[in-house]
Amino acid sequence: LFQDTVITSIHQPSSSVFRSFDKLMLLAEGNMVYFGTPTGSLSYLREKGFPCPDGYNAADHLMDLLVVDSVLEKEVEDKEDLNGHTNAFGDGSVVLNDHGQETNLRRRVGGGRRSSTVPARLQLIQAWDREAVAEQMDAALNSDDQSVKSDKREKTKKSKMTKYNTTWWTQFVVLTHRSLKNSRSAIFTPLNLVKSVALGVVAGLLWWQTPNTEKYVADRSAYYFFTMTFWVFDSMFNSLMAFPIERDVILKERASAAYRVSAYFLAKTVSEAPTRLALPFLYMIPSFWMAGLNPRFSVFVGSTVCTLLSCLAGESIGLFIGAWIYDMQKGMTVLTVFSLFLMLLGGFFVQNIPSFLIWARYVSPFKYAFDASRQLVFDRNVPCDGSGALEELCGGSSEGYATPEQVIDFLQVDGGVAFNVSLLLVVCFVPRYLAYLALRAKKAGDRE
């Protein structure tokens, strides 16, 4: 959109490309030997006695004249010393190489005698009228000076108005569409769909129609811990490489002001969420009803919501670490240690956490999703069966029951459903915001 200067390098241009240039400047040993149109260069060389042979590429002809080839020059000098003359073709001829092709390295400047020979490039350097061309170039620059200043003022005015050529919303829509295509092909694959359903069936078979009795309280609790652990880990490690694999593209497009970082980040987050949440949803449908943990549909909905929120929380942590650590091995190592630490704080394996680590429990998405789900599923009285699983509540008796409040207290569940879901949402958003700040902090120089 702006009248910027573009510098490009073209190696061995064809005749059509060569003639498409507006201006051509030829340099030899730091000296200008021609400036003008490409077709004019051929006429100029013809006037100076260096015509381009018929059917020969003009660019190659110029290279033969101006580029120093020490091997060929030495061959010419050796032939002159041996033969006692420059060549055998009379005045104004050129030296031929062993294949009978014109080298154009030296041109005879004397008569038939062995007079001094001068390389073609030196002749062209001496023949060029520098002063006259400099005056022409100055005149052209002065005539264009006003228009250049006007263009600069217009460009400065536009750049002050906005750094980007499109609105934030346009950037977001386009980037969302692009991310949706990528996420569908990477996440929403037939293999992942089969994996989710198959895992749900396997879990449902293992917890098949679990009875609501004292003996199976631990099993019902374990179902939720397995569910939350698996899907949090799955989302963590799948999202870890979301930004590193696009690092070069992000930095390059950001350097060219293609879009705002906020538009890219939000588009990436919004587009991948539906596809990533579809997989645990497919898992919950068969596993929950086959396990028979609770017949109430509202419990199924609440448990599924907790599972999906735990996935988003795990994804947030993966995005956060991936945005700060672009190296795959380092990021995998950090995430492995950190995720296992959070899992152990979830409240299933370690019940009595040391006092100096109590605070760390409140950054674990495993804990919030696990506790919220247990609050939902243990909503009925649990009959005692004499198994001793709830010895403190049932006293080893097969009569009576434990109330939901007693069971939740026995399992050391902290807070209510609303409290755990609220903190789970905090874990969903805070790491994402930190990941966004990490992307903003990355500069183009970080690509190395």
Side-chain angles (χ1 to χ4, degrees):
L1 297 177
F2 298 140
Q3 295 182 356
D4 294 328
T5 299
V6 178
I7 299 176
T8 185
S9 175
I10 301 178
H11 298 275
Q12 295 181 326
S14 62
S15 298
S16 59
V17 173
F18 178 76
R19 294 178 181 275
S20 66
F21 297 145
D22 296 324
K23 295 292 183 182
L24 174 67
M25 179 184 293
L26 299 178
L27 300 175
E29 300 183 3
N31 298 280
M32 185 186 297
V33 298
Y34 176 78
F35 178 75
T37 61
T39 54
S41 66
L42 300 179
S43 301
Y44 175 77
L45 293 177
R46 189 181 303 108
E47 294 175 1
K48 300 302 178 182
F50 301 100
C52 179
D54 294 338
Y56 201 71
N57 185 285
D60 292 337
H61 177 61
L62 294 172
M63 295 292 288
D64 288 340
L65 290 173
L66 302 178
V67 175
V68 177
D69 193 330
S70 58
V71 176
L72 289 177
E73 286 195 350
K74 190 174 187 307
E75 289 179 0
V76 173
E77 293 174 355
D78 292 342
K79 289 181 181 180
E80 290 177 355
D81 293 338
L82 291 174
N83 300 331
H85 55 82
T86 303
N87 54 60
F89 298 100
D91 296 347
S93 62
V94 295
V95 179
L96 303 179
N97 61 18
D98 293 337
H99 302 286
Q101 299 173 330
E102 296 179 352
T103 63
N104 286 329
L105 280 172
R106 293 182 181 271
R107 175 178 181 271
R108 183 171 178 175
V109 295
R113 61 190 181 282
R114 185 190 178 196
S115 58
S116 62
T117 57
V118 180
R121 64 180 180 280
L122 297 182
Q123 296 183 48
L124 292 173
I125 291 173
Q126 296 172 359
W128 185 250
D129 190 349
R130 301 184 185 89
E131 297 299 329
V133 175
E135 292 177 0
Q136 295 177 7
M137 294 179 68
D138 289 339
L141 290 174
N142 291 332
S143 63
D144 295 339
D145 185 62
Q146 191 63 30
S147 60
V148 170
K149 289 182 179 179
S150 176
D151 292 340
K152 286 184 177 180
R153 286 194 299 268
E154 184 66 20
K155 182 177 179 179
T156 301
K157 181 179 178 181
K158 290 181 179 180
S159 63
K160 288 181 178 179
M161 292 173 58
T162 177
K163 180 182 177 181
Y164 305 94
N165 297 326
T166 56
T167 63
W168 185 93
W169 179 252
T170 301
Q171 297 170 15
F172 172 74
V173 171
V174 173
L175 292 171
T176 300
H177 178 70
R178 184 177 75 174
S179 296
L180 275 173
K181 294 176 64 177
N182 295 335
S183 62
R184 280 200 302 265
S185 60
I187 302 174
F188 210 61
T189 62
L191 189 61
N192 281 336
L193 296 177
V194 172
K195 178 194 74 172
S196 300
V197 175
L199 188 61
V201 172
V202 169
L205 292 174
L206 290 173
W207 276 277
W208 177 260
Q209 297 301 309
T210 305
N212 180 37
T213 61
E214 172 190 1
K215 180 180 178 180
Y216 295 96
V217 168
D219 290 344
R220 296 166 71 192
S221 179
Y223 166 85
Y224 283 105
F225 187 78
F226 165 76
T227 298
M228 305 309 168
T229 300
F230 173 77
W231 288 110
V232 170
F233 274 132
D234 183 77
S235 58
M236 271 187 183
F237 286 93
N238 283 331
S239 62
L240 174 65
M241 299 307 298
F243 295 130
I245 60 177
E246 297 182 357
R247 174 185 61 178
D248 293 338
V249 175
I250 297 171
L251 294 174
K252 185 177 181 180
E253 292 178 341
R254 183 187 173 191
S256 61
Y259 48 73
R260 294 172 174 84
V261 179
S262 58
Y264 166 79
F265 184 85
L266 192 59
K268 184 80 172 175
T269 302
V270 170
S271 61
E272 291 190 356
T275 53
R276 199 175 295 280
L277 294 180
L279 301 181
F281 180 74
L282 292 176
Y283 161 86
M284 288 296 296
I285 294 175
S287 66
F288 182 87
W289 296 113
M290 289 175 67
L293 301 175
N294 195 303
R296 294 174 56 191
F297 182 75
S298 60
V299 175
F300 165 74
V301 173
S303 300
T304 303
V305 170
C306 291
T307 303
L308 299 183
L309 288 178
S310 68
C311 288
L312 292 178
E315 182 186 39
S316 299
I317 295 174
L319 292 174
F320 166 68
I321 295 178
W324 283 102
I325 305 175
Y326 275 172
D327 184 87
M328 182 175 181
Q329 292 183 344
K330 293 180 181 178
M332 189 69 69
T333 301
V334 172
L335 183 59
T336 300
V337 175
F338 187 64
S339 60
L340 288 175
F341 175 66
L342 295 179
M343 182 197 69
L344 293 174
L345 293 171
F348 185 79
F349 291 111
V350 183
Q351 296 291 335
N352 301 306
I353 298 175
S355 58
F356 59 87
L357 286 178
I358 290 294
W359 62 270
R361 297 185 61 186
Y362 299 98
V363 299
S364 173
F366 300 93
K367 168 182 168 51
Y368 298 126
F370 186 38
D371 285 353
S373 298
R374 290 190 294 177
Q375 287 272 4
L376 291 170
V377 74
F378 293 109
D379 63 342
R380 298 175 295 166
N381 293 331
V382 177
C384 299
D385 57 10
S387 63
L390 301 177
E391 181 70 25
E392 297 179 6
L393 304 179
C394 295
S397 173
S398 59
E399 298 180 357
Y401 57 86
T403 64
E405 293 77 12
Q406 291 175 325
V407 174
I408 290 173
D409 183 66
F410 176 80
L411 295 175
Q412 298 182 2
V413 178
D414 295 330
V417 176
F419 171 80
N420 286 286
V421 169
S422 299
L423 291 181
L424 200 57
L425 289 172
V426 172
V427 179
C428 289
F429 289 105
V430 172
R432 287 176 189 269
Y433 180 70
L434 296 177
Y436 166 70
L437 295 180
L439 286 182
R440 284 182 59 91
K442 297 293 182 181
K443 303 297 181 183
D446 295 340
R447 279 180 284 183
E448 299 298 331

